[in-house]
Amino acid sequence: MKPPLTLYLAAPRGFCAGVDRAIKIVEMALAKWGAPVYVRHEIVHNKFVVDDLRGKGAIFVERLADCPDDRPVIFSAHGVAKSVPAAAEARNMVYVDATCPLVSKVHIEAERHHANGLQMVMIGHAGHPETVGTMGQLPEGEVLLVETAEDVARLTPRDPGKLAFITQTTLSVDDTAEIVAALQAKFPTIIGPHKEDICYATTNRQAAVKAIAPKADAILVVGAPNSSNSRRLVEVGAKAGCGYSQLVQRAENIDWRALEGITALGVTAGASAPEVLVNEVIEACRARFDVTLEYVETAVENVEFKVPRVLREPA
């Protein structure tokens, strides 16, 4: 007899429109120009997706210098500093920008504030490619990075009266609210975004986890260790009252000992994790438990982003 398990499956989960578009861009580029197509940085933070595209002829590199002049190069969904496309143009390269449109929106926002004479404060994670790309939209020193409310206390801008803030799109909604409150307390005239920078997919996935957390003994988040939005889901689950949250790349990475004796399990996936990996986790649970599947849907997503025109035109 297998022990009974109620499996709460989060919806929305997994791929968002920006990830969908980025993967499609690589596939369409391979169809249009043939292999190899170079991709600067992992197109999205998921090993399964990257390995699949590598098998189709994509070559992943960390620097533009590692790409030849005569093959197309794609910039990842996380966005790149202004200097990257400029360097590609200087070398007459064919390039396609797969930056998520919601990240591009933050880039445009930063440029608009800069043009109005404001210094930017960016709430984000140091070294994350999205943060590097966003800070790289403006000249050195024009974007100050804060990761925590404590960082805000140490902030010394050029002119405290001429500030605006932007955020990385994949942060924890609650942690960011705390940092924004600290910024507004210290700099009362700081200008914020018209609409939340944290993207709809990040917000929706976190809301679904919050709905599941009080009912679950444990939560499994399918995602990659370098995926910011997946790691935030683990933290959100723990903060929302679930005793145990685990990030797993695939079913084979599940620590079953930690799940001994549970009767309710939440399952979700970060925005760059494909549904096939979620199904793999569900099947692994069915092999060990008598599973009753329950869907917890907190939002319906129907966002779609167009691929760049260059890929819609014939070769």
Side-chain angles (χ1 to χ4, degrees):
M1 276 282 285
K2 292 179 193 170
L5 179 73
T6 304
L7 195 154
Y8 295 107
L9 189 57
R13 65 181 173 280
F15 279 2
C16 61
V19 164
D20 233 1
R21 172 180 179 268
I23 295 167
K24 206 177 280 175
I25 285 172
V26 179
E27 291 174 338
M28 289 174 77
L30 285 163
K32 178 168 180 165
W33 292 298
V37 163
Y38 284 74
V39 184
R40 186 189 174 281
H41 192 68
E42 291 187 346
I43 187 71
V44 298
H45 285 158
N46 187 277
K47 185 181 183 314
F48 182 86
V49 171
V50 168
D51 287 348
D52 181 56
L53 292 171
R54 196 180 275 126
K56 292 174 180 172
I59 295 176
F60 293 89
V61 296
E62 282 307 313
R63 303 172 317 149
L64 197 64
D66 301 327
C67 303
D69 292 348
D70 60 347
R71 293 306 301 164
V73 60
I74 296 165
F75 304 143
S76 83
H78 312 97
V80 291
K82 269 222 157 92
S83 56
V84 179
E89 275 171 25
R91 289 170 57 188
N92 286 320
M93 296 172 83
V94 172
Y95 68 87
V96 186
D97 189 354
T99 301
C100 172
L102 298 176
V103 174
S104 299
K105 175 182 91 71
V106 179
H107 290 183
I108 292 162
E109 219 174 307
E111 291 193 306
R112 195 185 70 234
H113 288 313
H114 176 64
N116 291 335
L118 303 179
Q119 194 176 14
M120 301 302 307
V121 177
M122 175 161 193
I123 304 169
H125 293 295
H128 187 278
E130 185 189 328
T131 303
V132 173
T134 301
M135 292 179 73
Q137 299 305 304
L138 300 183
E140 192 79 38
E142 287 304 307
V143 187
L144 306 170
L145 181 67
V146 295
E147 297 193 68
T148 62
E150 291 75 56
D151 290 345
V152 174
R154 293 189 286 268
L155 208 56
T156 50
R158 202 170 39 232
D159 178 347
K162 287 189 167 180
L163 282 180
F165 73 87
I166 48 175
T167 73
Q168 192 179 321
T169 61
T170 54
L171 300 178
S172 152
V173 176
D174 298 335
D175 290 354
T176 305
E178 205 178 297
I179 299 168
V180 169
L183 280 170
Q184 289 169 334
K186 186 171 178 180
F187 308 109
T189 61
I190 194 167
I191 295 170
H194 286 309
K195 191 180 171 296
E196 185 66 81
D197 283 341
I198 295 176
C199 86
Y200 77 94
T202 300
T203 306
N204 288 349
R205 278 149 194 69
Q206 289 179 17
V209 166
K210 283 180 189 172
I212 286 171
K215 305 193 265 200
D217 303 318
I219 289 175
L220 295 180
V221 177
V222 181
N226 60 340
S227 159
S228 172
N229 77 82
S230 302
R231 287 172 61 177
R232 300 299 79 78
L233 289 174
V234 175
E235 295 167 4
V236 167
K239 274 192 179 171
C242 179
Y244 181 78
S245 281
Q246 189 186 125
L247 181 68
V248 296
Q249 296 213 56
R250 311 195 54 157
E252 65 196 33
N253 308 122
I254 298 170
D255 178 2
W256 294 105
R257 284 170 312 180
L259 304 181
E260 267 171 28
I262 67 164
T263 57
L265 176 69
V267 173
T268 188
S272 44
E275 188 65 6
V276 58
L277 301 186
V278 176
N279 293 335
E280 202 180 85
V281 166
I282 294 169
E283 287 315 307
C285 290
R286 288 195 201 276
R288 287 168 176 80
F289 297 94
D290 180 14
V291 172
T292 305
L293 204 55
E294 282 196 27
Y295 293 89
V296 179
E297 185 171 68
T298 52
V300 177
E301 294 177 351
N302 47 17
V303 180
E304 207 178 311
F305 295 133
K306 274 191 176 142
V307 298
R309 185 180 287 127
V310 64
L311 292 172
R312 300 198 299 265
E313 295 163 348

